[in-house]
Amino acid sequence: MSNRPSSINRREASLALAALLSGFGLGARAQSALPRILVGFPAGGSVDTSARRVTEAWRGRMAESVLVEQRVGAGGRLAVVALKDAPADGQTLLLSPSSMFTIYPHVFRKLQYRADVDAIPVSPIANATCGFGVGPMVPATVKTLAQFADWVRANPQQGAFASPAAGAMPHFLGNQFERAAGLKLTHVPYRGAAPGIQDLMGGQIAAGCFILGDFLPHLAGGRVRLLGVTDTSRSRFAPEVPTFEEQGFKGIVGVESYGLFLPPRTLAAVVDRVYDLAKVALRESAVTEGLAKLGFEPFSMPPADYVRRLAKEREQWGPIVKASGFSSDD
């Protein structure tokens, strides 16, 4: 049997290399189509905003312009599928939270992509810590996670927490806290963080677990109070809030990376070029300041290291998801 690559693979390789050598995105294919970053969440959200910051930094470096294209649906999964099916010519990227590749494989029985095969991790651009907070339904005297647990025991009918979606990282962090504290908390998934935060502030639900940046705009008004953060150290965005581990809840750690991905079979030279561009973007103050406004910590790492990080996290989340008892055929 011949070991020569197929004509399709040769053609994809030629296109990718031509794009790379002509300025990455200004080759023959780019004359009729601009490079694009796929995002699986609505315009105006944290993923979309992050992608737009990156494309601004890349204008004139990667191409004359880079598009942000929404492929919204299925909790970000549709965008991953679109990346999987895209040509490996360096023209299509994905900006996605890491949960699509670390948690979802344990949640969805009919996942339409293989997390370790159907996308090439290039680099994270930021880390995002989660937080657990309460609203006006919970008395102001409740200032710690342990005090919240005591309040729930005294008011079991009000013991509920919101998350941005069933199967998202905050869902399982809340579930870990529930089990560690010996509580019964009703999980209420929302379609995104915004409506969950609104109900939290309005007193319709006692507590919520969300990305820290979702809480930040509302803390000054006092209608939302953060009780704990899920990193191994305190966040510079809320330095007065202790971690779960500081409060005696060991092992409850959840940090979401927001990363860049390329289609399978993309040439290593193109992967390296995008990694270089990611580092360039993170040297731009407009990008780092924009990410900070979302409560994100900007950072990058080489592709091989990012592959290892995602694999390690995928292994870590398996038993956590299993212990929750949650799965989906959706």
Side-chain angles (χ1 to χ4, degrees):
M1 181 180 292
S2 172
N3 291 323
R4 291 183 300 169
S6 70
S7 59
I8 293 176
N9 288 339
R10 288 200 301 271
R11 185 161 58 251
E12 288 178 343
S14 297
L15 285 169
L17 190 58
L20 179 70
L21 295 176
S22 61
F24 194 75
L26 295 176
R29 181 181 172 85
Q31 293 175 6
S32 59
L34 293 171
R36 57 182 180 155
I37 297 182
L38 302 172
V39 297
F41 299 89
S46 61
V47 184
D48 174 77
T49 301
S50 301
R52 293 184 189 280
R53 294 287 185 183
V54 169
T55 60
E56 289 167 8
W58 283 354
R59 186 177 296 117
R61 291 187 173 103
M62 178 180 182
E64 292 178 354
S65 184
V66 184
L67 303 178
V68 175
E69 181 178 318
Q70 272 82 30
R71 290 294 183 95
V72 180
R77 285 172 282 154
L78 292 186
V80 181
V81 173
L83 182 80
K84 178 191 75 170
D85 295 336
D89 59 3
Q91 292 289 92
T92 302
L93 299 92
L94 170 73
L95 179 61
S96 175
S98 57
S99 287
M100 276 79 260
F101 302 94
T102 59
I103 296 178
Y104 281 15
H106 306 295
V107 171
F108 297 100
R109 298 190 187 96
K110 299 178 181 178
L111 202 60
Q112 293 177 295
Y113 58 88
R114 295 166 296 172
D116 59 342
V117 173
D118 289 331
I120 296 177
V122 178
S123 175
I125 62 164
N127 270 340
T129 299
C130 293
F132 191 91
V134 296
M137 181 185 289
V138 179
T141 53
V142 173
K143 301 180 183 297
T144 68
L145 293 168
Q147 290 171 349
F148 175 73
D150 289 339
W151 179 82
V152 171
R153 292 186 188 99
N155 302 272
Q157 71 283 0
Q158 294 176 298
F161 78 97
S163 84
M169 183 181 290
H171 170 188
F172 297 111
L173 291 168
N175 179 261
Q176 281 184 285
F177 171 54
E178 172 188 7
R179 289 184 284 112
L183 299 175
K184 175 58 179 175
L185 291 175
T186 301
H187 172 234
V188 182
Y190 284 78
R191 296 188 68 180
I197 291 283
Q198 285 300 120
D199 276 4
L200 184 64
M201 292 193 299
Q204 281 79 47
I205 192 165
C209 191
F210 299 98
I211 292 294
L212 183 59
D214 294 323
F215 287 106
L216 294 180
H218 311 290
L219 295 179
R223 293 188 67 78
V224 174
R225 309 188 310 277
L226 272 174
L227 303 184
V229 295
T230 63
D231 205 343
T232 55
S233 60
R234 298 191 184 196
S235 169
R236 67 183 171 106
F237 302 111
E240 73 286 356
V241 181
T243 67
F244 272 67
E245 293 201 335
E246 281 183 273
Q247 298 181 66
F249 296 98
K250 303 296 183 182
I252 301 181
V253 177
V255 178
E256 185 94 87
S257 65
Y258 284 59
L260 291 165
F261 299 82
L262 283 163
R265 302 179 306 281
T266 300
L267 286 178
V270 177
V271 175
D272 291 341
R273 173 60 173 153
V274 176
Y275 171 55
D276 289 341
L277 287 166
K279 292 187 291 183
V280 166
L282 293 179
R283 289 196 291 267
E284 296 281 342
S285 60
V287 175
T288 57
E289 291 170 7
L291 292 172
K293 288 179 180 178
L294 299 170
F296 291 178
E297 291 285 3
F299 90 111
S300 64
M301 64 169 52
D305 291 342
Y306 197 31
V307 169
R308 285 190 288 269
R309 171 177 168 163
L310 293 175
K312 182 179 179 181
E313 291 180 1
R314 189 158 50 244
E315 182 178 355
Q316 290 172 338
W317 281 104
I320 295 171
V321 173
K322 184 177 181 179
S324 76
F326 179 80
S327 63
S328 177
D329 290 321
D330 181 17

